[in-house]
Amino acid sequence: MTGTTRSSEGLDAHRRKLLFRSWHRGMREMDLILGTFADAEIAALTGEEIDQYERLLDIPDTEFLPMVTGERPVPADIDCAVLQKILAFRHSMTF
């Protein structure tokens, strides 16, 4: 898998930006996790979930990856519905 499989057609500008950011993290592992999540879910996220997702994208990969892989517990201040969706999505992924 080398990048997005989803077209940004039909997405508003904010969602297109988040889709791009999801695939251009800087750490390939996070590109794959967040990029595939965004491909599958970005169009269906509610406005509140979009805000949550954007806050999660602001977390540096070196801090976020250990939380997503379960190597580090998720701090209560960032635990949210979208993070739980990402974690469930990640567990369903096969590479």
Coordinates of all heavy atoms in Angstrom, one line a residue:
M1 N 0.9 -1.2 0.0 CA 0.0 0.0 0.0 C 0.9 1.2 0.0 O 1.8 1.4 0.8 CB -0.9 0.0 1.2 CG -1.8 1.1 1.3 SD -3.0 0.8 2.7 CE -4.3 0.0 1.8
T2 N 0.7 2.1 -1.0 CA 1.6 3.2 -1.1 C 0.9 4.6 -0.8 O 1.5 5.6 -0.9 CB 2.2 3.3 -2.5 OG1 1.1 3.4 -3.4 CG2 3.0 2.1 -2.8
G3 N -0.4 4.6 -0.6 CA -1.0 5.9 -0.4 C -2.5 5.7 -0.5 O -3.1 4.6 -0.6
T4 N -3.2 6.8 -0.5 CA -4.7 6.8 -0.4 C -5.3 6.1 -1.6 O -4.7 6.1 -2.7 CB -5.2 8.3 -0.4 OG1 -6.6 8.2 -0.1 CG2 -4.9 9.1 -1.6
T5 N -6.3 5.4 -1.3 CA -7.1 4.7 -2.4 C -8.4 5.5 -2.5 O -9.2 5.0 -3.4 CB -7.4 3.3 -2.0 OG1 -8.0 3.2 -0.7 CG2 -6.1 2.5 -1.9
R6 N -8.6 6.5 -1.8 CA -9.9 7.3 -1.8 C -9.7 8.6 -2.5 O -8.7 9.3 -2.3 CB -10.3 7.5 -0.4 CG -11.7 8.2 -0.3 CD -12.0 8.9 1.0 NE -13.4 9.2 1.2 CZ -14.1 10.0 0.4 NH1 -13.5 10.7 -0.6 NH2 -15.3 10.3 0.7
S7 N -10.6 8.9 -3.4 CA -10.6 10.2 -4.0 C -11.1 11.2 -3.0 O -12.0 11.0 -2.2 CB -11.5 10.2 -5.3 OG -11.7 11.5 -5.8
S8 N -10.6 12.4 -3.1 CA -11.1 13.5 -2.3 C -12.3 14.2 -2.9 O -12.9 15.1 -2.3 CB -10.0 14.5 -2.0 OG -9.6 15.1 -3.2
E9 N -12.7 13.7 -4.1 CA -13.9 14.3 -4.7 C -15.1 14.1 -3.8 O -15.3 13.0 -3.2 CB -14.1 13.5 -6.0 CG -15.3 14.1 -6.8 CD -15.4 13.4 -8.2 OE1 -14.4 13.0 -8.7 OE2 -16.6 13.4 -8.6
G10 N -15.9 15.1 -3.7 CA -17.1 15.1 -2.8 C -16.8 15.5 -1.4 O -17.8 15.6 -0.6
L11 N -15.6 15.6 -1.0 CA -15.3 16.1 0.4 C -15.1 17.6 0.4 O -14.6 18.2 -0.5 CB -13.9 15.4 0.8 CG -13.9 13.9 1.0 CD1 -12.5 13.5 1.4 CD2 -14.9 13.4 2.0
D12 N -15.5 18.2 1.5 CA -15.3 19.6 1.7 C -13.8 19.8 1.9 O -13.1 18.9 2.1 CB -16.2 20.1 2.9 CG -15.8 19.5 4.2 OD1 -14.7 19.6 4.7 OD2 -16.7 18.9 4.8
A13 N -13.4 21.1 1.8 CA -12.0 21.5 1.9 C -11.4 21.0 3.2 O -10.2 20.5 3.2 CB -11.8 23.0 1.7
H14 N -12.1 21.1 4.3 CA -11.5 20.7 5.6 C -11.2 19.2 5.6 O -10.2 18.8 6.1 CB -12.5 21.1 6.7 CG -11.9 21.0 8.1 ND1 -12.7 21.0 9.2 CD2 -10.6 20.9 8.5 CE1 -11.9 20.9 10.3 NE2 -10.7 20.9 9.9
R15 N -12.2 18.4 5.2 CA -12.0 17.0 5.1 C -10.8 16.6 4.2 O -10.1 15.6 4.4 CB -13.3 16.2 4.8 CG -14.3 16.3 5.9 CD -15.6 15.7 5.5 NE -16.7 16.2 6.4 CZ -17.1 15.4 7.4 NH1 -16.6 14.3 7.7 NH2 -18.0 15.9 8.2
R16 N -10.7 17.3 3.0 CA -9.6 17.0 2.1 C -8.3 17.2 2.7 O -7.4 16.5 2.6 CB -9.8 17.8 0.8 CG -10.8 17.3 -0.1 CD -10.7 18.0 -1.5 NE -10.7 19.4 -1.5 CZ -11.8 20.2 -1.6 NH1 -13.0 19.6 -1.8 NH2 -11.7 21.5 -1.6
K17 N -8.2 18.3 3.5 CA -7.0 18.7 4.2 C -6.6 17.6 5.2 O -5.5 17.2 5.3 CB -7.1 20.0 4.9 CG -5.9 20.4 5.7 CD -6.2 21.8 6.4 CE -5.1 22.1 7.4 NZ -5.4 23.3 8.2
L18 N -7.6 17.1 6.0 CA -7.4 16.1 7.0 C -7.0 14.7 6.3 O -6.1 14.0 6.8 CB -8.6 15.9 7.9 CG -9.0 17.1 8.7 CD1 -10.2 16.8 9.5 CD2 -7.8 17.5 9.7
L19 N -7.6 14.4 5.2 CA -7.2 13.2 4.4 C -5.8 13.3 4.0 O -5.0 12.4 4.2 CB -8.1 13.0 3.2 CG -7.9 11.8 2.3 CD1 -8.1 10.5 3.1 CD2 -8.8 11.9 1.1
F20 N -5.4 14.5 3.5 CA -4.0 14.7 3.1 C -3.0 14.5 4.3 O -2.0 13.8 4.2 CB -3.8 16.0 2.4 CG -2.4 16.3 2.0 CD1 -1.9 15.9 0.7 CD2 -1.5 17.0 2.8 CE1 -0.6 16.1 0.3 CE2 -0.2 17.2 2.4 CZ 0.2 16.8 1.2
R21 N -3.4 15.2 5.4 CA -2.5 15.1 6.6 C -2.4 13.7 7.1 O -1.4 13.3 7.7 CB -3.1 16.0 7.7 CG -2.9 17.5 7.4 CD -3.4 18.3 8.5 NE -2.7 18.1 9.8 CZ -3.1 18.4 11.0 NH1 -4.3 19.0 11.1 NH2 -2.5 18.1 12.1
S22 N -3.5 12.9 6.9 CA -3.5 11.5 7.4 C -2.5 10.7 6.7 O -1.9 9.8 7.3 CB -4.9 10.9 7.3 OG -5.8 11.6 8.0
W23 N -2.3 11.0 5.4 CA -1.3 10.2 4.6 C 0.1 10.8 4.5 O 1.0 10.2 4.0 CB -1.9 10.1 3.2 CG -2.8 9.0 3.0 CD1 -4.2 9.1 2.9 CD2 -2.6 7.6 3.0 NE1 -4.8 7.8 2.8 CE2 -3.8 6.9 2.9 CE3 -1.4 6.8 3.2 CZ2 -3.9 5.5 2.8 CZ3 -1.5 5.4 3.1 CH2 -2.7 4.8 3.0
H24 N 0.3 11.9 5.1 CA 1.6 12.6 5.1 C 2.0 13.0 6.5 O 2.2 14.2 6.8 CB 1.5 13.9 4.2 CG 1.2 13.5 2.8 ND1 -0.1 13.4 2.3 CD2 2.0 13.2 1.7 CE1 0.0 13.0 1.0 NE2 1.3 12.9 0.7
R25 N 2.2 12.0 7.3 CA 2.5 12.2 8.7 C 4.0 12.4 9.0 O 4.4 13.1 9.8 CB 2.0 11.0 9.6 CG 0.6 10.7 9.5 CD -0.2 11.7 10.4 NE 0.4 11.6 11.8 CZ 0.0 12.4 12.7 NH1 -0.8 13.4 12.5 NH2 0.5 12.3 13.9
G26 N 4.8 11.7 8.2 CA 6.2 11.7 8.4 C 6.8 10.3 8.9 O 7.9 10.0 8.6
M27 N 5.9 9.6 9.5 CA 6.3 8.2 9.9 C 5.4 7.3 9.1 O 4.2 7.3 9.2 CB 6.1 8.0 11.4 CG 6.6 6.7 12.0 SD 6.3 6.6 13.7 CE 7.6 7.6 14.4
R28 N 6.0 6.4 8.3 CA 5.2 5.5 7.4 C 4.1 4.7 8.2 O 3.0 4.5 7.7 CB 6.2 4.6 6.6 CG 5.5 3.9 5.5 CD 5.0 4.9 4.5 NE 4.3 4.1 3.5 CZ 3.3 4.6 2.8 NH1 2.8 5.8 3.0 NH2 2.7 3.9 1.8
E29 N 4.5 4.2 9.3 CA 3.5 3.4 10.1 C 2.2 4.2 10.4 O 1.1 3.7 10.3 CB 4.1 2.9 11.4 CG 5.2 2.0 11.3 CD 6.6 2.6 11.1 OE1 6.7 3.8 10.8 OE2 7.6 1.9 11.2
M30 N 2.4 5.5 10.8 CA 1.3 6.3 11.0 C 0.5 6.7 9.8 O -0.7 6.8 9.8 CB 1.7 7.6 11.8 CG 2.1 7.3 13.3 SD 0.8 6.4 14.2 CE -0.3 7.7 14.5
D31 N 1.3 6.9 8.7 CA 0.6 7.1 7.4 C -0.3 6.0 7.1 O -1.5 6.2 6.7 CB 1.6 7.2 6.2 CG 2.5 8.4 6.2 OD1 2.3 9.3 7.0 OD2 3.5 8.4 5.4
L32 N 0.1 4.8 7.3 CA -0.7 3.6 6.9 C -1.9 3.5 7.9 O -3.0 3.2 7.4 CB 0.1 2.3 7.0 CG 1.2 2.2 5.9 CD1 2.1 1.0 6.1 CD2 0.5 2.1 4.5
I33 N -1.7 3.7 9.2 CA -2.8 3.6 10.1 C -3.8 4.7 9.9 O -5.0 4.4 9.7 CB -2.3 3.5 11.6 CG1 -1.4 2.3 11.8 CG2 -3.4 3.6 12.6 CD1 -0.6 2.3 13.1
L34 N -3.3 5.9 10.0 CA -4.3 7.0 9.9 C -4.8 7.3 8.5 O -5.9 7.7 8.3 CB -3.7 8.3 10.5 CG -3.3 8.2 11.9 CD1 -2.6 9.5 12.4 CD2 -4.6 8.0 12.8
G35 N -3.9 7.0 7.5 CA -4.4 7.2 6.1 C -5.5 6.2 5.7 O -6.5 6.6 5.1
T36 N -5.3 4.9 6.1 CA -6.4 4.0 5.7 C -7.6 4.2 6.6 O -8.7 4.1 6.0 CB -5.9 2.5 5.9 OG1 -5.4 2.3 7.2 CG2 -4.8 2.2 4.9
F37 N -7.5 4.7 7.8 CA -8.6 5.1 8.6 C -9.4 6.2 7.9 O -10.6 6.2 7.8 CB -8.2 5.5 10.0 CG -9.3 6.0 10.8 CD1 -10.3 5.2 11.4 CD2 -9.5 7.4 11.0 CE1 -11.4 5.7 12.1 CE2 -10.5 8.0 11.7 CZ -11.5 7.1 12.3
A38 N -8.6 7.2 7.5 CA -9.3 8.4 6.9 C -9.9 8.0 5.6 O -11.0 8.5 5.3 CB -8.2 9.5 6.7
D39 N -9.3 7.2 4.8 CA -9.9 6.7 3.5 C -11.2 6.1 3.8 O -12.2 6.3 3.1 CB -9.0 5.6 2.9 CG -7.8 6.2 2.1 OD1 -7.7 7.4 1.9 OD2 -7.0 5.4 1.6
A40 N -11.3 5.3 4.8 CA -12.6 4.6 5.1 C -13.6 5.4 5.8 O -14.8 5.2 5.6 CB -12.2 3.3 6.0
E41 N -13.2 6.4 6.7 CA -14.1 7.0 7.6 C -14.3 8.5 7.4 O -15.3 9.1 8.0 CB -13.7 6.7 9.0 CG -13.6 5.3 9.4 CD -15.0 4.6 9.5 OE1 -16.0 5.3 9.7 OE2 -15.0 3.4 9.2
I42 N -13.4 9.2 6.8 CA -13.4 10.7 6.8 C -14.8 11.3 6.3 O -15.3 12.2 6.9 CB -12.3 11.3 6.0 CG1 -12.0 12.7 6.3 CG2 -12.5 11.1 4.5 CD1 -11.3 12.9 7.6
A43 N -15.4 10.7 5.4 CA -16.7 11.2 4.9 C -17.8 11.1 5.9 O -18.8 11.8 5.9 CB -17.0 10.6 3.5
A44 N -17.7 10.0 6.7 CA -18.8 9.7 7.6 C -18.7 10.4 9.0 O -19.6 10.4 9.8 CB -19.0 8.2 7.8
L45 N -17.5 11.0 9.3 CA -17.4 11.6 10.6 C -18.2 12.8 10.8 O -18.4 13.6 9.9 CB -15.9 11.9 10.8 CG -14.9 10.8 10.9 CD1 -13.5 11.4 11.0 CD2 -15.2 9.8 12.0
T46 N -18.8 12.9 12.0 CA -19.6 14.1 12.3 C -18.7 15.3 12.5 O -17.5 15.2 12.6 CB -20.4 13.9 13.6 OG1 -19.5 13.8 14.7 CG2 -21.3 12.6 13.5
G47 N -19.3 16.5 12.6 CA -18.5 17.7 12.8 C -17.7 17.6 14.1 O -16.5 18.0 14.1
E48 N -18.3 17.1 15.1 CA -17.6 17.0 16.4 C -16.4 16.0 16.3 O -15.3 16.2 16.8 CB -18.5 16.5 17.5 CG -17.8 16.4 18.9 CD -18.8 15.9 20.0 OE1 -20.0 16.1 19.8 OE2 -18.3 15.4 21.0
E49 N -16.7 14.9 15.5 CA -15.6 13.9 15.3 C -14.5 14.4 14.5 O -13.3 14.1 14.7 CB -16.2 12.6 14.7 CG -17.1 11.8 15.6 CD -17.8 10.7 15.0 OE1 -18.1 10.8 13.8 OE2 -18.0 9.7 15.7
I50 N -14.8 15.3 13.5 CA -13.8 15.9 12.7 C -12.9 16.8 13.6 O -11.7 16.8 13.4 CB -14.4 16.8 11.5 CG1 -15.0 15.8 10.5 CG2 -13.4 17.8 10.9 CD1 -14.0 15.1 9.7
D51 N -13.5 17.5 14.5 CA -12.7 18.3 15.4 C -11.8 17.5 16.3 O -10.6 17.8 16.5 CB -13.6 19.2 16.3 CG -14.4 20.3 15.6 OD1 -14.0 20.6 14.5 OD2 -15.4 20.7 16.1
Q52 N -12.3 16.3 16.8 CA -11.5 15.4 17.6 C -10.4 14.8 16.7 O -9.2 14.8 17.2 CB -12.4 14.2 18.1 CG -13.4 14.6 19.1 CD -14.3 13.4 19.4 OE1 -14.1 12.3 19.0 NE2 -15.3 13.7 20.2
Y53 N -10.7 14.5 15.5 CA -9.7 13.9 14.6 C -8.6 14.9 14.3 O -7.4 14.6 14.4 CB -10.3 13.4 13.3 CG -9.4 12.6 12.4 CD1 -8.7 11.4 12.9 CD2 -9.1 13.0 11.1 CE1 -7.9 10.7 12.1 CE2 -8.2 12.3 10.3 CZ -7.6 11.1 10.8 OH -6.8 10.4 10.0
E54 N -8.9 16.1 14.1 CA -7.9 17.2 13.8 C -7.0 17.3 15.1 O -5.8 17.5 14.9 CB -8.6 18.5 13.5 CG -7.6 19.5 13.0 CD -8.2 20.7 12.3 OE1 -9.4 21.0 12.5 OE2 -7.5 21.3 11.5
R55 N -7.6 17.3 16.3 CA -6.7 17.4 17.5 C -5.8 16.2 17.6 O -4.6 16.4 18.0 CB -7.6 17.5 18.7 CG -8.2 18.9 18.9 CD -8.9 19.1 20.2 NE -10.0 18.2 20.5 CZ -11.2 18.4 20.2 NH1 -11.6 19.5 19.5 NH2 -12.2 17.5 20.4
L56 N -6.3 15.0 17.2 CA -5.4 13.8 17.3 C -4.3 14.0 16.2 O -3.1 13.5 16.5 CB -6.2 12.6 17.0 CG -7.2 12.2 18.1 CD1 -8.1 11.0 17.6 CD2 -6.5 11.9 19.4
L57 N -4.5 14.5 15.1 CA -3.5 14.7 14.1 C -2.4 15.6 14.5 O -1.3 15.6 13.9 CB -4.1 15.1 12.7 CG -4.9 14.1 12.0 CD1 -5.5 14.7 10.7 CD2 -4.2 12.9 11.7
D58 N -2.7 16.5 15.5 CA -1.7 17.4 16.0 C -0.7 16.7 16.9 O 0.3 17.3 17.3 CB -2.4 18.6 16.7 CG -3.1 19.5 15.7 OD1 -2.7 19.5 14.5 OD2 -4.0 20.2 16.2
I59 N -1.0 15.5 17.4 CA -0.1 14.8 18.3 C 1.1 14.3 17.4 O 0.9 13.6 16.4 CB -0.8 13.6 19.0 CG1 -2.0 14.2 19.8 CG2 0.2 12.8 19.8 CD1 -2.9 13.1 20.3
P60 N 2.3 14.5 17.9 CA 3.5 14.0 17.1 C 3.5 12.5 17.0 O 3.0 11.8 17.9 CB 4.7 14.4 17.9 CG 4.2 15.6 18.8 CD 2.7 15.3 19.0
D61 N 3.9 11.9 15.9 CA 3.9 10.5 15.6 C 4.6 9.7 16.7 O 4.2 8.7 17.1 CB 4.6 10.2 14.3 CG 3.8 10.6 13.1 OD1 2.6 10.8 13.3 OD2 4.3 10.6 12.0
T62 N 5.7 10.3 17.2 CA 6.5 9.5 18.2 C 5.7 9.4 19.5 O 6.0 8.4 20.3 CB 7.9 10.2 18.5 OG1 7.6 11.6 18.9 CG2 8.8 10.2 17.3
E63 N 4.8 10.2 19.8 CA 3.9 10.1 21.0 C 2.6 9.3 20.6 O 2.2 8.5 21.5 CB 3.5 11.5 21.5 CG 4.6 12.3 22.0 CD 4.1 13.7 22.4 OE1 2.9 13.9 22.7 OE2 5.0 14.6 22.3
F64 N 2.1 9.5 19.4 CA 0.8 8.9 19.1 C 0.9 7.4 18.7 O 0.1 6.6 19.1 CB 0.2 9.7 17.9 CG -1.2 9.5 17.7 CD1 -2.1 9.0 18.7 CD2 -1.8 9.9 16.5 CE1 -3.4 8.9 18.5 CE2 -3.2 9.7 16.3 CZ -4.0 9.2 17.2
L65 N 2.0 7.0 18.0 CA 2.1 5.6 17.6 C 2.1 4.6 18.8 O 1.4 3.6 18.7 CB 3.4 5.4 16.7 CG 3.6 4.0 16.2 CD1 2.5 3.5 15.3 CD2 4.9 3.9 15.5
P66 N 2.9 4.9 19.8 CA 2.8 3.9 21.0 C 1.4 3.8 21.6 O 1.1 2.7 22.1 CB 3.8 4.5 22.0 CG 4.7 5.3 21.2 CD 3.9 5.9 20.1
M67 N 0.6 4.8 21.5 CA -0.8 4.7 22.0 C -1.6 3.9 21.1 O -2.4 3.1 21.5 CB -1.4 6.1 22.2 CG -0.8 6.9 23.3 SD -1.6 8.5 23.4 CE -0.3 9.6 22.8
V68 N -1.5 4.1 19.8 CA -2.3 3.4 18.8 C -1.9 1.9 18.8 O -2.8 1.1 18.6 CB -2.1 4.0 17.4 CG1 -2.8 3.2 16.3 CG2 -2.6 5.4 17.4
T69 N -0.6 1.6 19.0 CA -0.2 0.2 19.0 C -0.4 -0.5 20.4 O -0.2 -1.7 20.5 CB 1.2 0.1 18.6 OG1 2.1 0.8 19.5 CG2 1.5 0.6 17.2
G70 N -0.8 0.3 21.4 CA -1.0 -0.3 22.7 C 0.2 -0.4 23.6 O 0.2 -1.0 24.7
E71 N 1.3 0.1 23.1 CA 2.6 0.1 23.9 C 2.6 1.1 25.0 O 3.3 1.0 26.0 CB 3.8 0.4 23.0 CG 4.0 -0.6 21.9 CD 5.1 -0.2 20.9 OE1 6.1 0.3 21.4 OE2 4.9 -0.4 19.7
R72 N 1.7 2.1 24.9 CA 1.6 3.1 26.0 C 0.1 3.4 26.2 O -0.7 3.4 25.2 CB 2.3 4.4 25.5 CG 2.3 5.5 26.6 CD 2.9 6.8 26.2 NE 4.1 6.6 25.3 CZ 4.6 7.6 24.6 NH1 4.0 8.8 24.6 NH2 5.6 7.5 23.9
P73 N -0.3 3.6 27.4 CA -1.8 3.9 27.7 C -2.2 5.2 27.1 O -1.3 6.1 27.0 CB -1.9 3.9 29.2 CG -0.5 4.0 29.7 CD 0.5 3.5 28.7
V74 N -3.4 5.3 26.7 CA -4.0 6.5 26.2 C -4.3 7.5 27.4 O -5.1 7.1 28.2 CB -5.2 6.3 25.4 CG1 -5.9 7.5 24.9 CG2 -4.9 5.3 24.2
P75 N -3.7 8.7 27.4 CA -4.1 9.6 28.4 C -5.6 10.0 28.3 O -6.1 10.1 27.2 CB -3.2 10.8 28.1 CG -2.1 10.3 27.2 CD -2.7 9.2 26.5
A76 N -6.2 10.2 29.5 CA -7.6 10.5 29.5 C -7.9 11.8 28.8 O -9.0 11.9 28.2 CB -8.0 10.6 31.0
D77 N -7.0 12.8 28.7 CA -7.3 14.0 28.1 C -7.4 13.9 26.5 O -7.9 14.8 25.9 CB -6.4 15.1 28.5 CG -4.9 14.8 28.0 OD1 -4.5 13.7 28.1 OD2 -4.2 15.8 27.7
I78 N -6.9 12.8 25.9 CA -7.1 12.7 24.5 C -8.0 11.5 24.1 O -8.3 11.4 22.9 CB -5.7 12.6 23.8 CG1 -5.0 11.3 24.1 CG2 -4.8 13.8 24.0 CD1 -4.0 10.9 23.2
D79 N -8.4 10.8 25.1 CA -9.3 9.7 24.8 C -10.7 10.2 24.3 O -11.3 11.1 25.0 CB -9.5 8.8 26.0 CG -10.1 7.4 25.7 OD1 -10.3 7.1 24.5 OD2 -10.4 6.6 26.6
C80 N -11.1 9.8 23.2 CA -12.4 10.4 22.6 C -13.0 9.3 21.6 O -12.3 8.3 21.4 CB -12.1 11.7 21.9 SG -10.9 11.5 20.5
A81 N -14.1 9.6 21.1 CA -14.8 8.7 20.3 C -14.0 8.3 19.0 O -13.9 7.2 18.6 CB -16.2 9.2 19.9
V82 N -13.4 9.3 18.4 CA -12.6 9.1 17.2 C -11.4 8.3 17.5 O -11.0 7.4 16.7 CB -12.2 10.4 16.5 CG1 -11.3 10.2 15.3 CG2 -13.5 11.1 16.0
L83 N -10.7 8.5 18.6 CA -9.6 7.7 19.0 C -10.0 6.2 19.1 O -9.3 5.3 18.7 CB -8.9 8.2 20.2 CG -7.7 7.4 20.7 CD1 -6.6 7.3 19.6 CD2 -7.1 7.9 21.9
Q84 N -11.1 6.0 19.8 CA -11.6 4.6 19.9 C -12.0 4.0 18.6 O -11.7 2.8 18.3 CB -12.9 4.6 20.8 CG -12.6 5.0 22.3 CD -11.4 4.1 22.9 OE1 -11.4 2.9 22.8 NE2 -10.4 4.8 23.5
K85 N -12.5 4.8 17.6 CA -12.7 4.3 16.2 C -11.4 3.9 15.6 O -11.3 2.9 14.9 CB -13.4 5.3 15.4 CG -14.9 5.5 15.7 CD -15.5 6.5 14.8 CE -17.0 6.6 15.1 NZ -17.7 7.4 14.1
I86 N -10.3 4.8 15.8 CA -9.0 4.5 15.2 C -8.5 3.2 15.8 O -7.9 2.4 15.0 CB -8.1 5.7 15.4 CG1 -8.5 6.9 14.6 CG2 -6.6 5.3 15.1 CD1 -7.8 8.2 15.0
L87 N -8.6 3.0 17.1 CA -8.0 1.8 17.7 C -8.8 0.6 17.2 O -8.1 -0.4 16.9 CB -8.1 2.0 19.2 CG -7.3 3.0 19.9 CD1 -7.5 3.1 21.4 CD2 -5.8 2.8 19.6
A88 N -10.1 0.7 17.1 CA -10.9 -0.5 16.6 C -10.5 -0.8 15.2 O -10.3 -1.9 14.8 CB -12.4 -0.2 16.7
F89 N -10.4 0.3 14.4 CA -10.0 0.1 13.0 C -8.6 -0.5 12.8 O -8.4 -1.4 12.0 CB -10.0 1.5 12.3 CG -9.8 1.5 10.8 CD1 -10.8 1.2 9.9 CD2 -8.5 1.7 10.3 CE1 -10.6 1.1 8.6 CE2 -8.3 1.6 8.9 CZ -9.3 1.3 8.0
R90 N -7.7 0.0 13.6 CA -6.3 -0.6 13.6 C -6.3 -2.1 13.9 O -5.6 -2.8 13.3 CB -5.4 0.2 14.6 CG -4.0 -0.2 14.5 CD -3.4 -0.5 15.9 NE -2.1 -1.0 15.9 CZ -1.9 -2.4 16.0 NH1 -2.9 -3.2 16.1 NH2 -0.7 -2.8 16.0
H91 N -7.1 -2.5 14.9 CA -7.2 -3.9 15.2 C -7.8 -4.7 14.1 O -7.5 -5.9 14.1 CB -7.9 -4.1 16.5 CG -7.1 -3.6 17.7 ND1 -5.9 -4.2 18.1 CD2 -7.3 -2.6 18.6 CE1 -5.5 -3.5 19.2 NE2 -6.3 -2.5 19.5
S92 N -8.6 -4.1 13.3 CA -9.2 -4.9 12.2 C -8.3 -4.9 10.9 O -8.7 -5.6 10.0 CB -10.6 -4.3 11.8 OG -10.4 -3.0 11.2
M93 N -7.2 -4.1 10.9 CA -6.4 -4.0 9.7 C -5.5 -5.3 9.5 O -5.1 -5.9 10.5 CB -5.4 -2.8 9.9 CG -6.1 -1.5 9.8 SD -4.9 -0.1 10.2 CE -3.9 -0.2 8.7
T94 N -5.4 -5.6 8.3 CA -4.4 -6.7 7.9 C -3.5 -6.2 6.9 O -3.9 -5.6 5.9 CB -5.2 -8.0 7.4 OG1 -6.0 -7.6 6.3 CG2 -6.1 -8.6 8.5
F95 N -2.2 -6.5 7.1 CA -1.2 -6.0 6.1 C -0.6 -7.2 5.5 O -0.4 -8.2 6.0 CB -0.1 -5.2 6.8 CG -0.6 -3.8 7.3 CD1 -0.9 -3.6 8.6 CD2 -0.9 -2.8 6.4 CE1 -1.3 -2.4 9.0 CE2 -1.3 -1.6 6.8 CZ -1.6 -1.4 8.2

